[in-house]
């Protein structure tokens, strides 16, 4: 009997080991505490977030909350004269070839000064000071477990093993820290707060086992105003005592302790103080183990949908920062590639949940107090950054994480309707490059980056993408179509005919954030830059399809179809690249980081090697010129773009090369991506989340593509990922897809239908040995490389072996 039990245990342990090997190591871990913010690890619940440093003598936990904003709503717009008259006067100058005068008049009459714009700002640091500073420390380990969304610290000091766990629970709405030691009564520490800004006037009160703090954000760099906030830290112990000090809590001789933390603001939440108190009380009453179980289950329901293995490497057993340094020095690490992919998914889950009051911003949720001190602030940039934050959501099987973005778009559209009416004299709604928590949607005075009236249409394109992937008709009818229709209404009314051509054009507008040369002058505004053409096309096309699906607004649909036929074509310039402007101007900054005219290649599909080979060759030329330009302003998001561009061009070698550059140049020790010092006026490396998010989306593009109307497996597979698998990625039409490969050849691939739909699949080059539907072999004469149409019902599994 004992032998049978022992044999059963061995079989179980072997299976567990194999399962662990198959799913890969999904932890960031280190042998030392973080010495700076870019070494700390992030936890978050979509609203509340923290960066864990893992200190021994002093633990620093940097706190953030997504609604912690300075600023306030702007005063009502006061524009002189009618919007259409102002717009006509500006356009007249452009039509007459007076481009410099047109740029000047646009800034004077169509832009609006933001006086109380504000910025997202950090809260401060929760500090825990321990009483074992003189003891030597051994066996130190700090880690972030991506599967459980739990950070851990452990070490030995003074003959005692000390352990901490940190998690940010979405179900319970709190940050929780558990501290323990393997000797009873050993825990001794002080807990306090260091706020980021003294000007907030934060008031602290410690009583019993609770520390409270409250104040009002005062960060006038970008205008007056700011939210009111309150926070609570409540500590419970097993053994020992908790005593209130002067703005601190003192834990003495405890076996273990649990700190429960929440922070709330009055941003669209008048009862925020009560909500904060009740949230902490409820979580504390449930206890740490119950909160932890609910958190791990909740996070895993999203995170565990996707599995990815890209091959083994010699560095697999090393700490993350050592692996990062090896890649930085020219090494390659397929395991780190896969970890980076899953980290992007983790960060979106942690910063954007269904109940998040605001979407992921330039720094996601984790404000380092650097971006908010730059001229570009920590806000919502709609000229690529926030779009990139959400490129991964659908393909990476995190559809629910789109919810706060769509709620925010509904909020913005109301404010954008006032700008459309007051500034342009048009119906519908509009948003420009920079928007904030307060509903600012106008163009700022800096028209070189701000006068981008199709920015709202770009971010609204995510609505249609969400529908295409999920086939959620209720969402299309109640959320997506009304917002898309409003964006299309604005564009349809706003556009005008270009004299002598019959083309409908936007303008004046910029190609973010670039300029052209005209008579020796650097000018930023012109009529219908290529990116506008791409975005108008996508907006009209998605509205036309949505209207037909819902059988609504037939007359409006026909007006969009007529306008669509009048858009100018995409053009190839004299330099052989895709033309960035309606006229073939000379580039003012050939090394510019933005390539907005290549939206047509990715994320959209108006250019592809299969359908438009000449334009695809021109897109490659544009990319090559940018990469070769002296002093190219490469940053995290532009390099992530390059991965996606090359993947769409089916150039696996260059896609992988750009991925390695993203990892070795634009990430730091905690694998967060950076806008490096020296770019856009920054004196420091500044964390920006778009490189993580867009990098993950671009890697998915290397593994599966479906923009051409068919599913293609491994379209840009790197030779460095010669054997591996993915499970749970998504494709349009409503399906999850898996694939396995060996020596670069697909050995198994399948679709799991999440709704009834007809799919087209391009068979792998090696050809299938068998095609199966729900386990039953199907007769097929399709050859390798051909496309096969498959009709699936919800729950069906179609498989190639």
């Amino acid at each position: 009997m004992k032998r049978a039990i022992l044999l059963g245990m061995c079989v179980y342990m072997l299976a567990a080991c194999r399962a662990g090997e198959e799913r890969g190591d999904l932890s960031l871990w280190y042998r030392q505490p973080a010495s700076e913010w870019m070494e700390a690890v992030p936890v978050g619940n979509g609203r509340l977030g923290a960066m864990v440093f893992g200190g021994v003598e002093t633990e620093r936990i940097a706190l953030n909350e997504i609604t912690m904003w300075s600023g306030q709503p702007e005063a009502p717009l006061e524009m002189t004269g009618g919007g259409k008259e102002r717009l006509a006067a500006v356009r007249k100058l452009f039509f007459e070839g007076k481009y410099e005068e047109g740029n000047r008049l646009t800034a004077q009459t169509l832009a609006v000064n933001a006086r109380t714009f504000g910025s997202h700002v950090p809260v401060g640091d929760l500090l825990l000071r321990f009483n074992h500073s003189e003891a030597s420390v051994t066996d130190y380990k700090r880690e972030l477990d991506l599967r459980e969304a739990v950070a851990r610290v452990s070490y030995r000091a003074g003959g005692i093993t000390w352990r901490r766990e940190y998690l940010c629970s979405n179900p319970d709405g709190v940050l929780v820290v558990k501290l323990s030691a393997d000797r009873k009564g050993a825990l001794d520490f002080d807990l306090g707060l260091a706020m980021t800004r003294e000007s907030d006037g934060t008031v602290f009160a410690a009583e019993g086992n609770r520390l409270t703090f409250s104040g009002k954000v005062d960060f006038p760099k970008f205008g007056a105003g700011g939210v009111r906030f309150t926070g609570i830290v409540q500590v419970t112990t097993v053994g020992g005592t908790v005593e209130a000090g002067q703005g601190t809590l003192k834990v003495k001789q405890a076996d273990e302790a649990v700190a429960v933390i929440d922070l709330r603001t009055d941003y669209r939440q008048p009862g925020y103080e009560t909500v904060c108190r009740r949230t902490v009380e409820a979580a504390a009453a449930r206890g740490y183990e119950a909160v932890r179980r609910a958190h791990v289950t909740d996070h895993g329901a999203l995170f565990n949908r996707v599995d990815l293995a890209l091959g083994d490497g010699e560095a697999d057993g090393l700490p993350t920062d050592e692996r990062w340094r090896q890649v930085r020095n020219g090494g390659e690490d397929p395991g780190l590639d896969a970890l980076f992919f899953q980290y992007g998914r983790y960060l979106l889950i942690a910063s954007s949940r269904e109940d998040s009051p605001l979407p992921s911003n330039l720094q996601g949720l984790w404000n380092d107090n650097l971006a908010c001190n730059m001229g570009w602030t920590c806000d919502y940039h709609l000229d690529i950054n926030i779009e990139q934050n959400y490129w991964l959501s659908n393909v990476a099987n995190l559809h629910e994480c789109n919810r706060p973005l769509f709620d925010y778009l509904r909020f913005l559209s109301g404010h954008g309707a006032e700008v459309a009416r007051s500034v342009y004299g048009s119906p519908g709604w509009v948003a420009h490059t920079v928007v904030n928590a307060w509903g600012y949607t106008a163009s700022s005075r800096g028209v070189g980056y701000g006068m981008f009236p199709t920015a709202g249409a770009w971010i609204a394109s995510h609505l249609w993408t969400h529908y295409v992937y999920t086939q959620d008709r209720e969402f299309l009818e109640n959320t997506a179509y009304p917002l898309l229709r409003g964006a299309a209404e604005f564009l349809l009314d706003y556009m005008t005919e270009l004299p002598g051509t019959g083309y409908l054009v936007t303008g004046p507008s910029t190609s973010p954030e670039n300029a052209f040369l005209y008579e020796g002058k650097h000018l930023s505004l012109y009529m219908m830059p290529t990116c506008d053409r791409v975005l108008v096309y996508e907006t009209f096309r998605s509205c036309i399809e949505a209207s037909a699906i819902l059988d609504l607004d037939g007359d409006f649909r026909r007006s969009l179809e007529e306008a669509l036929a009048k858009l100018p074509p995409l053009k190839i310039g004299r330099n052989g690249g895709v033309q960035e402007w309606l006229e073939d101007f000379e580039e003012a900054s050939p090394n510019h980081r933005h390539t907005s005219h290549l939206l047509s290649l990715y994320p959209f599909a108006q250019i592809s090697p299969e359908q438009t080979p000449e334009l695809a060759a021109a897109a490659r030329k544009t990319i090559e010129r940018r990469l070769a330009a002296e002093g190219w302003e490469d940053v995290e998001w532009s390099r992530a773009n390059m991965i996606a561009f090359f993947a769409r061009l089916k150039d696996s070698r260059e896609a992988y090369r750009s991925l390695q550059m993203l990892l070795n140049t634009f990430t730091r020790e905690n694998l967060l991506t950076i806008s490096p010092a020296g770019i856009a006026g920054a004196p420091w490396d500044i964390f920006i989340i778009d490189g993580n998010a867009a990098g993950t989306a671009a890697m998915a593009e290397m593994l599966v593509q479906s923009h051409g109307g068919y599913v293609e497996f491994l379209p840009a597979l790197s030779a460095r990922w010669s054997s591996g698998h993915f499970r749970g990625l998504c494709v349009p039409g409503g399906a999850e897809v898996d694939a396995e490969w060996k020596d670069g050849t697909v050995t198994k691939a399948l679709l799991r239908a999440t709704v009834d739909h007809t799919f087209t699949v391009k068979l792998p080059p090696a050809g299938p040995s068998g095609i199966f539907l729900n386990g039953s072999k199907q007769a097929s004469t399709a050859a390798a490389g051909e496309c096969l149409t498959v009709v699936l019902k919800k729950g069906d599994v179609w498989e190639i072996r």
Side-chain angles (χ1 to χ4, degrees):
M1 182 67 178
K2 289 181 179 178
R3 183 178 298 172
I5 293 172
L6 181 60
L7 178 62
M9 289 176 64
C10 290
V11 170
Y12 172 80
M13 290 173 68
L14 179 61
C17 288
R18 285 175 176 168
E21 289 172 2
E22 180 176 306
R23 66 184 189 177
D25 175 24
L26 285 180
S27 290
L28 283 69
W29 72 279
Y30 309 86
R31 291 191 174 113
Q32 68 286 325
S35 61
E36 60 173 303
W37 197 95
M38 291 303 305
E39 295 177 0
V41 294
V43 294
N45 66 10
R47 178 187 60 82
L48 190 64
M51 296 294 289
V52 177
F53 285 67
V56 173
E57 297 177 21
T58 299
E59 169 61 296
R60 174 187 173 193
I61 304 170
L63 301 177
N64 279 282
E65 208 273 356
I66 196 65
T67 65
M68 195 78 169
W69 265 78
S70 65
Q72 60 193 21
E74 299 280 346
L77 290 175
E78 294 181 3
M79 307 294 290
T80 303
K84 289 194 179 299
E85 289 75 16
R86 288 193 305 275
L87 187 58
V90 166
R91 285 172 169 172
K92 182 174 182 292
L93 293 174
F94 282 95
F95 293 152
E96 291 173 351
K98 300 175 181 177
Y99 304 148
E100 186 178 1
E101 294 92 328
N103 272 256
R104 189 181 306 116
L105 188 61
T106 300
Q108 292 171 353
T109 62
L110 297 180
V112 176
N113 261 345
R115 294 181 173 84
T116 58
F117 188 88
S119 175
H120 181 254
V121 294
V123 179
D125 295 335
L126 180 66
L127 300 174
L128 300 124
R129 295 183 173 89
F130 300 97
N131 295 324
H132 47 249
S133 59
E134 295 184 7
S136 62
V137 174
T138 61
D139 301 329
Y140 183 93
K141 185 176 183 181
R142 173 171 58 97
E143 70 175 321
L144 173 62
D145 183 330
L146 301 186
R147 290 192 185 279
E148 292 194 341
V150 174
R152 303 183 187 94
V153 171
S154 63
Y155 55 91
R156 285 190 62 78
I160 301 171
T161 297
W162 309 86
R163 292 187 176 87
R164 295 177 229 144
E165 281 198 338
Y166 316 71
L167 61 89
C168 214
S169 166
N170 181 270
D172 285 281
V174 290
L175 169 66
V176 186
V177 182
K178 180 185 178 183
L179 306 95
S180 62
D182 66 356
R183 181 185 297 173
K184 287 186 177 297
L187 273 180
D188 244 35
F189 64 91
D190 294 349
L191 180 152
L193 285 153
M195 305 304 286
T196 303
R197 294 164 305 281
E198 290 185 8
S199 59
D200 288 358
T202 305
V203 175
F204 300 93
E207 183 176 353
N209 67 340
R210 181 178 289 183
L211 172 63
T212 63
F213 58 100
S214 59
K216 185 179 187 300
V217 170
D218 181 19
F219 183 68
K221 185 178 180 71
F222 301 103
V227 297
R228 296 185 181 278
F229 61 88
T230 192
I232 297 174
V233 184
Q234 182 168 312
V235 178
T236 56
T237 63
V238 174
T241 61
V242 182
E243 298 176 3
Q246 188 68 34
T248 64
L249 297 177
K250 299 178 182 294
V251 174
K252 297 181 178 180
Q253 299 179 345
D255 302 339
E256 65 178 50
V258 175
V260 178
I261 304 107
D262 191 22
L263 166 73
R264 302 278 172 163
T265 80
D266 66 351
Y267 179 79
R268 295 196 275 177
Q269 187 174 225
Y272 68 104
E273 294 166 307
T274 300
V275 172
C276 184
R277 176 176 53 79
R278 289 177 176 172
T279 300
V280 169
E281 288 174 351
R286 276 168 48 77
Y288 178 75
E289 293 304 326
V291 170
R292 190 187 193 283
R293 280 195 302 271
H295 162 73
V296 171
T297 300
D298 170 72
H299 173 79
L302 292 169
F303 186 85
N304 293 333
R305 292 173 181 175
V306 172
D307 188 40
L308 176 67
L310 297 174
D312 300 324
E314 296 178 0
D316 283 359
L318 294 177
T320 304
D321 52 339
E322 293 182 28
R323 298 174 75 174
W324 170 79
R325 286 189 187 93
Q326 289 189 4
V327 170
R328 219 169 155 79
N329 291 327
E332 295 177 347
D333 186 343
L336 192 68
D337 298 340
L339 181 64
F340 181 78
F341 176 92
Q342 291 284 36
Y343 193 36
R345 297 182 66 247
Y346 167 87
L347 292 170
L348 183 62
I349 296 169
S351 63
S352 186
R353 294 298 300 273
E354 290 167 281
D355 57 354
S356 298
L358 284 169
S360 173
N361 62 39
L362 286 183
Q363 298 196 295
L365 174 59
W366 302 277
N367 193 308
D368 57 6
N369 202 35
L370 298 180
C372 60
N373 277 286
M374 294 301 300
W376 28 274
T377 81
C378 184
D379 61 6
Y380 298 96
H381 275 44
L382 302 187
D383 61 349
I384 196 167
N385 311 92
I386 305 307
E387 286 85 357
Q388 284 190 325
N389 284 10
Y390 287 89
W391 278 353
L392 70 97
S393 58
N394 290 303
V395 68
N397 211 336
L398 297 174
H399 314 293
E400 296 91 334
C401 294
N402 285 324
R403 174 67 181 272
L405 176 65
F406 299 155
D407 289 344
Y408 181 62
L409 283 178
R410 188 180 292 109
F411 165 73
L412 272 191
S413 68
H415 293 272
E418 172 60 19
V419 172
R421 183 190 64 79
S422 298
V423 176
Y424 298 106
S426 293
W429 67 275
V430 65
H432 295 75
T433 303
V434 292
V435 294
N436 62 10
W438 311 110
Y440 180 88
T441 60
S443 171
S444 63
R445 290 291 186 194
V447 293
Y449 67 88
M451 183 52 67
F452 183 37
T454 54
W458 187 357
I459 195 68
S461 71
H462 287 248
L463 296 156
W464 178 247
T465 303
H466 182 86
Y467 168 74
V468 169
Y469 272 83
T470 64
Q471 300 293 298
D472 185 340
R473 186 186 174 98
E474 182 180 353
F475 166 79
L476 180 67
E477 183 172 4
N478 297 327
T479 300
Y481 181 64
L483 289 168
L484 285 167
R485 190 187 194 284
E489 278 183 310
F490 167 75
L491 291 171
L492 191 63
D493 184 80
Y494 161 74
M495 293 172 73
T496 189
E497 187 171 305
L498 183 66
T501 67
Y503 291 141
L504 281 179
V505 295
T506 59
S509 182
T510 186
S511 182
E513 300 165 10
N514 215 337
F516 58 90
L517 286 176
Y518 181 73
E519 295 182 348
K521 301 287 179 61
H522 285 229
L523 300 176
S524 299
L525 304 180
Y526 192 63
M527 302 300 294
M528 193 64 144
T530 299
C531 59
D532 275 13
R533 188 269 181 204
V534 172
L535 293 168
V536 170
Y537 178 91
E538 292 296 326
T539 304
F540 286 3
R541 182 188 58 81
S542 58
C543 259
I544 289 166
E545 292 189 37
S547 169
I549 291 167
L550 298 172
D551 193 22
L552 293 172
D553 301 332
D555 290 342
F556 182 62
R557 179 167 70 246
R558 283 182 286 277
S559 67
L560 293 178
E561 290 169 342
E562 292 171 3
L564 202 61
K566 295 180 180 180
L567 296 182
L570 298 174
K571 298 178 182 180
I572 299 174
R574 59 181 179 270
N575 64 16
V578 176
Q579 203 166 290
E580 186 165 4
W581 307 88
L582 189 60
E583 190 173 329
D584 196 8
F585 293 118
E586 183 181 351
E587 295 175 318
S589 303
N591 64 339
H592 202 277
R593 59 194 177 276
H594 278 270
T595 50
S596 302
H597 44 319
L598 295 190
L599 296 178
S600 47
L601 177 64
Y602 183 90
F604 307 115
Q606 296 172 33
I607 293 177
S608 71
E610 297 81 9
Q611 300 298 322
T612 60
E614 291 183 357
L615 284 168
R620 178 181 286 276
K621 183 70 173 178
T622 297
I623 294 166
E624 290 171 348
R625 285 175 55 84
R626 278 289 200 273
L627 292 174
E630 183 178 352
W632 183 44
E633 298 176 329
D634 203 6
V635 292
E636 81 298 340
W637 62 259
S638 61
R639 185 50 68 173
N641 263 7
M642 290 300 160
I643 307 169
F645 290 158
F646 281 121
R648 283 284 173 94
L649 293 172
K650 310 296 174 67
D651 189 333
S652 59
R653 186 179 68 86
E654 289 299 327
Y656 187 72
R657 181 172 173 271
S658 279
L659 173 62
Q660 294 311 293
M661 290 196 70
L662 178 62
L663 288 169
N664 65 36
T665 306
F666 301 109
T667 65
R668 287 289 303 271
E669 293 87 339
N670 56 12
L671 299 189
L672 293 180
T673 55
I674 56 166
S675 181
I679 298 293
W684 329 274
D685 289 349
I686 299 181
F687 161 56
I688 307 291
I689 199 174
D690 50 19
N692 289 102
T696 293
M699 289 179 70
E701 202 70 21
M702 296 171 70
L703 299 171
V704 63
Q705 293 182 19
S706 49
H707 58 276
Y710 55 86
V711 178
E712 182 176 7
F713 294 98
L714 310 185
L717 182 72
S718 168
R720 195 64 181 84
W721 304 337
S722 59
S723 297
H725 71 257
F726 67 78
R727 301 190 182 111
L729 297 180
C730 294
V731 294
E736 296 180 356
V737 291
D738 301 352
E740 298 176 12
W741 63 93
K742 186 176 182 180
D743 298 327
T745 300
V746 175
T747 57
K748 180 180 178 180
L750 63 80
L751 277 76
R752 283 183 300 274
T754 54
V755 296
D756 298 353
H757 196 76
T758 299
F759 298 89
T760 301
V761 181
K762 185 177 182 179
L763 297 178
S769 59
I771 295 175
F772 299 80
L773 179 62
N774 298 327
S776 299
K777 191 167 185 178
Q778 305 294 295
S780 174
T781 59
E786 290 185 353
C787 286
L788 188 66
T789 299
V790 186
V791 180
L792 298 182
K793 296 290 186 182
K794 180 179 180 179
D796 281 351
V797 177
W798 182 89
E799 185 177 357
I800 306 168
R801 298 178 191 169

